[in-house]
Amino acid sequence: MTVIIIGAILIFVVSMIWVWHNLGNIEKPRKIAFIIIGLLIMYGFTVVLYNMTNSHIAYPSEEIQKTVSNTLILVFTGLNALIFLPFTANLVDKILEEEIEKQQAKRRIIILLIILVVCIFMEKGYLENTQEGIINIYNEVQNAEK
């Protein structure tokens, strides 16, 4: 469990550094606000996606469900932030610096949205399989101890 938490923290740190860098010359308070708002959006997105996947999974106890939920949401929030926030930050920087035209910005936003939709389907399946795998491992350990 500790390894997973350390890994998730590293993912968040890399994501935040990458976002900070991609925001270019934007002033520090706006960079901090972008990172905080972006992480909150990624957290909300991940919670909604997780809740879509766990409704049919029978957990042995509420404590196990809470631990699995917190861990998966932490890890996937970091991964989602790593996938979307740096590229969004780069796009925002280019728009604010007027380095790209509106049409080009629209295309990039559409591409990001398409990637988001693809990720939703992939992540939904992966979250379901991960939860089921954790429950299966837990049940095997419980049966082996009997």
Side-chain angles (χ1 to χ4, degrees):
M1 183 70 160
T2 304
V3 173
I4 293 171
I5 292 172
I6 291 171
I9 290 169
L10 288 174
I11 290 170
F12 276 102
V13 169
V14 167
S15 176
M16 288 186 284
I17 291 170
W18 196 359
V19 168
W20 187 276
H21 176 347
N22 282 357
L23 285 172
N25 295 325
I26 296 173
E27 53 276 353
K28 289 179 183 180
R30 291 180 80 186
K31 285 183 178 185
I32 293 168
F34 183 93
I35 290 170
I36 291 170
I37 292 168
L39 289 175
L40 288 173
I41 291 170
M42 291 296 104
Y43 174 78
F45 170 77
T46 306
V47 167
V48 168
L49 196 57
Y50 175 82
N51 287 332
M52 288 171 42
T53 64
N54 78 335
S55 61
H56 69 278
I57 297 174
Y59 282 92
S61 72
E62 191 173 315
E63 180 182 335
I64 292 170
Q65 181 178 8
K66 186 176 178 180
T67 301
V68 170
S69 170
N70 291 339
T71 304
L72 290 178
I73 289 172
L74 175 71
V75 169
F76 279 90
T77 298
L79 291 173
N80 289 332
L82 190 62
I83 292 169
F84 293 105
L85 292 184
F87 301 107
T88 305
N90 186 281
L91 182 58
V92 166
D93 181 53
K94 288 184 183 217
I95 290 170
L96 292 176
E97 295 291 325
E98 297 178 357
E99 293 179 19
I100 61 173
E101 296 175 7
K102 284 186 179 182
Q103 190 62 27
Q104 191 177 10
K106 285 180 185 179
R107 274 187 259 135
R108 289 187 183 186
I109 291 169
I110 290 170
I111 290 169
L112 274 173
L113 291 174
I114 291 169
I115 292 170
L116 178 66
V117 169
V118 169
C119 283
I120 287 172
F121 288 108
M122 290 175 48
E123 206 168 305
K124 186 177 180 290
Y126 192 76
L127 278 168
E128 287 174 349
N129 292 338
T130 301
Q131 291 175 79
E132 290 169 357
I134 290 169
I135 298 305
N136 289 339
I137 291 170
Y138 177 81
N139 289 335
E140 287 176 16
V141 168
Q142 292 300 314
N143 290 335
E145 290 178 354
K146 291 181 181 179

